Amino acid sequence: MTEYNFAYLDEQTKRMIRRAILKGLAIPGYQVPFASREMPMPYGWGTGGVQVSAAVLTPDDTFKVIDQGADDTTNAVSIRTFFQRTAGVVTTTATRDATVIQTRHRIPEEPLHEGQILVYQVPIPEPLRFLEPRESETRKMHSLEEYGLMHVKLYEDISRHGHIATSYAYPVKVEGRYVMDPSPIPKFDNPKLGDMAAIQLFGAGREQRIYALPPYTQVVSLDFEDHPFEASKANHCCGMCGATDSYLDELIIDDAGGRMFVCSDTDYCEARQAMGHKGKDAA
Amino acid sequence: MTPLLSVQGIAKRYGAHIGCADVSFDLYPGEVMGIVGESGSGKSTLLNCMAGHLVPDAGQVVFDTRTDGPRDTITMSEPERRMLGRTDWAFVHQHARDGLRMGVSAGGNVGERLMAVGERNYGDIRDKATDWLGRVEIDASRVDDRPTTFSGGMQQRLQIARNLVTGPRLVFMDEPTGGLDVSVQARLLDLLRGLVRDMGLSAIIVTHDLAVVRLLADRLMVMKSGRVVEAGLTDQVLDDPQHAYSQLLVSSVLQV
Ligand SMILES: Nc1ncnc2c1ncn2[C@@H]1O[C@H](COP(=O)(O)OP(=O)(O)O)[C@@H](O)[C@H]1O
Ligand SMILES: [Mg+2]
Ligand SMILES: [Zn+2]
């Protein structure tokens, strides 16, 4: 589509976003402000992630988009189509073949490798927002490493539920310095954030923030000594591929309330089935 | 003996208007200083300058720190000052909602300072919070309730517990009994007196209520138009005021 610049955004905007990304990579976990642009899709559809993807994509890239682990949701399809049209990049659903993966709410099961970039769509970048709405104050708390409030949130969880009930957007500390919101991924994915071979970039469009984790960064989930962090998932295997180590979605399969568990990462599940793995619900 | 706090020549203007001017005094460990004066006399301005909430235009606020001895808290770095604010210093606001997190349980409110200084054992934090609720006469069964469900007097007691849990060495209080019913005030005063005595607290209490300083303060400063017009032992100032303004204040002509 010739009426667009490559990947929709003009070069000056992409340079501005790349500067924010580089700064983010230099200060892992630090939220870098950037001048978010209007994108031809509503906020909540991942405009932050889309702008980050637009800034890092090159014509040689292979692009994958997942939404809650699936390549085929409306959101994933529309973003994939957007970059097919505006950047003409090759797209894929195979995690290992992608060089740039934009994601909402999941990290792929298959370990990422060096040279890959994982771009997260972030709704609320500020982990302290929940208890301290004043931006001037949260900025100060980050700069002075005053993170006691983060544990107040976890304390409240335990006092109300008997355990840390936060199961998405579970806060982490990066390289012993910045506390970061990993976006609403399940806490099952938290251990994958740390020591990852790929570059991780986080884009919040409405909030105009970008942050990043360079490869092999130390990322620790916050917890208490007597309530340690646990990367929990449903205690089942995948009904389709039999995987015991993947994050599962629960599906209602008939009117009688029958249910089954399947991998939320569709590429992972399909690849396993193609290799002959079979779950108890597989045809 | 080294003063715990030594205030020298504090002045704060709001534009051309004087908030407070030329205030100096020493506070020794275990002492309670009362600051009285009518509304608008500069008490809160002075207190906020001392507690690091306002930057004075002139003067020093020298605090005898645990690690480095006397330090001017005005010129120390902001991280150091904020660290003091959640360890050795405490601040009790007149309105409990300014000093509490209303969306957080009572236990979380009391535990916040513990977590801020690095405590990471949930059970220990909760035990200490529960213990402190008891000390301010709040039933342990309320530990998971939010302060929004508490009466005004309970909120104020919770704010006090939240401030004292880390064993601060200096407590700033701005009209701690203001805005409460008279009977509730009496109970809170009683509690405060007990805590001050039992913990050997050093405190600076701002109030326009002479009954509060009569009960709590060892020494008194009387402020008028931003300046200290008289200072001395509480009983002396209240029973035999020397300055004409103090005489008016004590004779309750100026009481609001
Ligand atoms: N933020 C402000 N801006 C301008 N004037 C102020 C401000 N705060 C206080 N003042 C003025 O400074 C004087 C002292 O106020 P304050 O310290 O609040 O007195 P007090 O606590 O004794 O009632 C008053 O004349 C008041 O109107
Ligand atoms: Mg006042
Ligand atoms: Zn599967």
Side-chain angles (χ1 to χ4, degrees):
Chain A
M1 302 286 270
T2 47
E3 64 263 46
Y4 298 121
N5 190 37
F6 176 79
Y8 185 79
L9 292 175
D10 61 83
E11 290 306 310
Q12 196 188 336
T13 299
K14 284 194 274 187
R15 272 199 297 276
M16 177 271 292
I17 295 172
R18 286 178 200 135
R19 273 197 296 273
I21 291 171
L22 287 172
K23 182 166 179 181
L25 286 166
I27 317 169
Y30 172 78
Q31 297 168 49
V32 184
F34 80 110
S36 184
R37 290 299 142 92
E38 289 291 328
M39 298 301 286
M41 57 194 72
Y43 289 122
W45 280 67
T47 56
V50 168
Q51 289 176 80
V52 169
S53 292
V56 300
L57 276 173
T58 70
D60 299 333
D61 273 312
T62 303
F63 190 54
K64 170 181 163 81
V65 185
I66 45 172
D67 179 13
Q68 321 247 16
D71 296 82
D72 56 1
T73 70
T74 317
N75 189 315
V77 171
S78 83
I79 293 171
R80 192 165 60 234
T81 311
F82 176 76
F83 282 113
Q84 254 165 354
R85 288 216 195 114
T86 60
V89 288
V90 175
T91 62
T92 183
T93 58
T95 298
R96 84 183 52 167
D97 296 339
T99 53
V100 177
I101 304 172
Q102 182 169 331
T103 180
R104 186 172 87 121
H105 295 191
R106 278 307 313 275
I107 296 175
E109 303 293 356
E110 182 176 325
L112 299 185
H113 53 78
E114 287 183 12
Q116 289 183 304
I117 299 177
L118 184 59
V119 178
Y120 297 78
Q121 301 172 199
V122 180
I124 298 171
E126 179 48 72
L128 298 161
R129 171 84 46 86
F130 174 77
L131 290 168
E132 179 53 74
R134 289 169 299 174
E135 155 103 28
S136 58
E137 191 60 19
T138 54
R139 208 175 316 139
K140 197 161 274 179
M141 289 167 150
H142 283 293
S143 74
L144 300 179
E145 276 183 81
E146 292 178 4
Y147 289 131
L149 205 51
M150 224 46 256
H151 275 86
V152 173
K153 183 172 184 290
L154 300 178
Y155 173 97
E156 291 292 285
D157 245 20
I158 303 172
S159 72
R160 222 168 300 152
H161 307 284
H163 60 99
I164 299 180
T166 300
S167 50
Y168 292 89
Y170 192 105
V172 296
K173 194 162 202 183
V174 178
E175 288 288 334
R177 179 58 183 86
Y178 285 98
V179 166
M180 187 190 96
D181 184 322
S183 87
I185 57 172
K187 66 177 176 179
F188 173 82
D189 282 342
N190 269 31
K192 300 180 202 161
L193 291 160
D195 213 27
M196 186 189 281
I199 293 173
Q200 299 174 79
L201 305 176
F202 299 78
R206 189 181 40 222
E207 305 261 346
Q208 316 210 61
R209 291 288 184 279
I210 285 171
Y211 48 101
L213 298 172
Y216 307 112
T217 297
Q218 184 206 58
V219 178
V220 177
S221 301
L222 302 182
D223 62 4
F224 287 101
E225 293 158 9
D226 47 347
H227 287 268
F229 171 82
E230 267 178 86
S232 57
K233 70 175 197 69
N235 192 18
H236 295 271
C237 350
C238 173
M240 298 305 292
C241 77
T244 55
D245 57 353
S246 68
Y247 190 73
L248 302 170
D249 286 335
E250 189 177 0
L251 304 181
I252 308 286
I253 49 173
D254 56 39
D255 291 344
R259 52 194 64 213
M260 76 186 261
F261 290 89
V262 292
C263 296
S264 99
D265 184 333
T266 48
D267 171 60
Y268 182 71
C269 197
E270 282 160 17
R272 280 179 51 86
Q273 291 175 60
M275 286 188 304
H277 295 283
K278 241 186 164 104
K280 68 177 175 58
D281 302 305
Chain B
M1 185 167 39
T2 311
L4 182 64
L5 192 76
S6 182
V7 175
Q8 306 292 333
I10 287 294
K12 175 72 186 175
R13 287 174 168 279
Y14 299 106
H17 189 82
I18 291 178
C20 66
D22 202 24
V23 179
S24 303
F25 71 95
D26 288 338
L27 181 80
Y28 287 90
E31 253 190 333
V32 177
M33 170 70 85
I35 301 176
V36 296
E38 64 187 333
S39 175
S41 57
K43 308 181 296 292
S44 295
T45 300
L46 173 60
L47 193 73
N48 283 310
C49 283
M50 294 190 286
H53 299 167
L54 279 177
V55 182
D57 302 320
Q60 295 183 328
V61 175
V62 178
F63 180 71
D64 187 16
T65 63
R66 274 178 221 241
T67 44
D68 305 319
R71 297 272 315 274
D72 183 4
T73 62
I74 309 284
T75 53
M76 72 170 43
S77 72
E78 189 182 18
E80 287 179 293
R81 195 164 47 242
R82 283 174 69 108
M83 178 59 99
L84 267 186
R86 46 179 208 276
T87 53
D88 272 352
W89 289 1
F91 196 102
V92 177
H93 295 262
Q94 170 173 359
H95 301 291
R97 57 183 56 246
D98 294 334
L100 291 175
R101 293 194 187 276
M102 300 305 282
V104 168
S105 69
N109 264 287
V110 179
E112 180 173 346
R113 277 172 77 109
L114 298 170
M115 293 181 250
V117 297
E119 292 211 19
R120 291 292 178 262
N121 187 292
Y122 174 82
D124 289 352
I125 293 164
R126 191 177 174 80
D127 288 348
K128 283 182 194 169
T130 307
D131 175 53
W132 263 99
L133 291 185
R135 290 210 227 175
V136 297
E137 300 168 9
I138 295 174
D139 197 275
S141 68
R142 304 300 301 270
V143 66
D144 294 331
D145 295 344
R146 293 187 178 187
T148 41
T149 66
F150 288 9
S151 68
M154 282 172 76
Q155 289 183 2
Q156 199 55 303
R157 282 181 272 132
L158 179 62
Q159 191 194 179
I160 288 164
R162 166 178 161 89
N163 269 283
L164 297 187
V165 65
T166 46
R169 292 160 66 218
L170 176 58
V171 185
F172 300 98
M173 298 189 220
D174 195 352
E175 309 270 9
T177 60
L180 298 174
D181 292 343
V182 176
S183 63
V184 178
Q185 282 189 18
R187 183 173 173 199
L188 186 65
L189 266 182
D190 233 37
L191 179 84
L192 273 175
R193 190 165 60 157
L195 289 171
V196 163
R197 207 174 31 211
D198 296 348
M199 298 176 75
L201 283 180
S202 311
I204 299 176
I205 301 180
V206 156
T207 179
H208 64 271
D209 184 348
L210 297 184
V212 171
V213 284
R214 175 79 85 179
L215 216 54
L216 291 178
D218 304 305
R219 286 197 295 143
L220 214 54
M221 295 197 306
V222 181
M223 290 187 74
K224 178 184 186 305
S225 308
R227 293 171 189 276
V228 175
V229 294
E230 182 164 356
L233 297 174
T234 301
D235 290 342
Q236 265 172 22
V237 175
L238 291 184
D239 296 339
D240 186 20
Q242 299 299 305
H243 191 278
Y245 177 79
S246 314
Q247 289 166 2
L248 278 177
L249 198 68
V250 169
S251 69
S252 77
V253 173
L254 289 179
Q255 292 284 331
V256 245

